[in-house]
Amino acid sequence: MSTIALNQFGIVVQNGSIQTLDGVYAVAQDVQSRILFNKGENPYDLQDGIDYDTDIFGKYGGEEYLRNIYRDRIGDSPEITDVRNIQFSRVNGAINVSAEVQTIYGVINV
């Protein structure tokens, strides 16, 4: 797998060339992007993403409900074989999500 490298400012350009990521690094970045996409933000697929307004902040389904949403979203890739140990923490009003992700390249923690 290969993908365009991103950082907090957008696409990474180095010496005039767009940088790419391969293998496990590409999977890790794509997982992070998938869980950050709010439904409707992807201009190519408006149904893509997590409906944060309704599914995350609008319902009180409990942590298992949230784990299932994130497990489905994280695992939505042929390079991912399993998603385990999804944890949540709240810091300054934000929800932080971490997970152990089994990929075809090995295990990553995101």
Side-chain angles (χ1 to χ4, degrees):
M1 167 180 214
S2 183
T3 192
I4 294 173
L6 303 173
N7 63 20
Q8 68 271 24
F9 304 110
I11 295 173
V12 177
V13 177
Q14 200 169 46
N15 299 324
S17 297
I18 294 174
Q19 300 301 294
T20 60
L21 297 173
D22 295 306
V24 71
Y25 301 106
V27 173
Q29 179 180 279
D30 284 353
V31 164
Q32 291 174 336
S33 295
R34 273 196 301 280
I35 63 173
L36 290 173
F37 250 138
N38 193 13
K39 190 172 187 175
E41 287 183 333
N42 183 347
Y44 302 106
D45 183 356
L46 296 177
Q47 296 305 307
D48 189 28
I50 295 174
D51 188 348
Y52 278 93
D53 293 334
T54 302
D55 290 337
I56 305 300
F57 300 122
K59 293 185 179 178
Y60 299 98
E63 287 195 9
E64 195 57 36
Y65 174 80
L66 295 177
R67 277 190 187 86
N68 288 333
I69 288 173
Y70 283 105
R71 183 176 291 110
D72 291 346
R73 187 72 181 143
I74 291 168
D76 188 22
S77 169
E79 288 85 11
I80 295 174
T81 58
D82 194 19
V83 181
R84 297 181 289 246
N85 199 25
I86 299 172
Q87 301 293 319
F88 303 97
S89 63
R90 290 174 174 79
V91 178
N92 297 328
I95 298 174
N96 294 314
V97 179
S98 63
E100 181 181 302
V101 181
Q102 178 69 46
T103 74
I104 61 173
Y105 308 105
V107 176
I108 58 174
N109 292 297
V110 294

